[in-house]
Amino acid sequence: MTRDPGLQPERTRLAWRRTLLTLTAVLLLQLRQAFTGRVLDALLTGAALLVWLAVLVVTWHRATGAGPRRFDSWSVPLTALGAAGLAVLGVAHVLGGVQ
């Protein structure tokens, strides 16, 4: 059976875009908390923004094929770690743990 070489890159691009969309939703939830006056909320918002920007850069490099390939060795593990952290933050928002 012959594989279509065009499907795998398309699935990869779509997966990176879904990840970025999910992280954007979590970032927007956290931005709402940033202006409560608590230092912890401001720090969490800053960390969420940095992770979101990192994922945006990695997504853009992977989707366009632009830029150096030096991102490959560390971008995916670092992005996965940041996404996992933001997932925990998103669950905390949904369950009402972050107020």
Side-chain angles (χ1 to χ4, degrees), residues 14-26:
L14 290 173
W16 279 103
R17 286 180 183 161
R18 279 192 311 270
T19 301
L20 187 62
L21 180 64
T22 303
L23 294 180
T24 301
V26 172

Side-chain angles (χ1 to χ4, degrees), residues 41-75:
D41 289 334
L43 290 174
L44 284 174
T45 302
L49 184 61
L50 288 176
V51 169
W52 184 83
L53 286 172
V55 173
L56 179 67
V57 168
V58 170
T59 301
W60 182 76
H61 281 286
R62 290 207 172 254
T64 62
R69 301 306 286 170
R70 66 173 186 233
F71 288 116
D72 286 343
S73 63
W74 56 269
S75 64

Side-chain angles (χ1 to χ4, degrees), residues 8 12 15 24 29-30 32 39 45 47 57-58 67 71 74 76-77 82 84 86 92:
Q8 182 61 39
T12 302
T24 301
L29 285 172
Q30 184 58 37
R32 206 174 54 165
V39 175
T45 302
V57 168
V58 170
F71 288 116
W74 56 269
V76 174
L86 285 182

Side-chain angles (χ1 to χ4, degrees), residues 76-88:
V76 174
L78 189 61
T79 301
L81 183 64
L86 285 182
V88 169

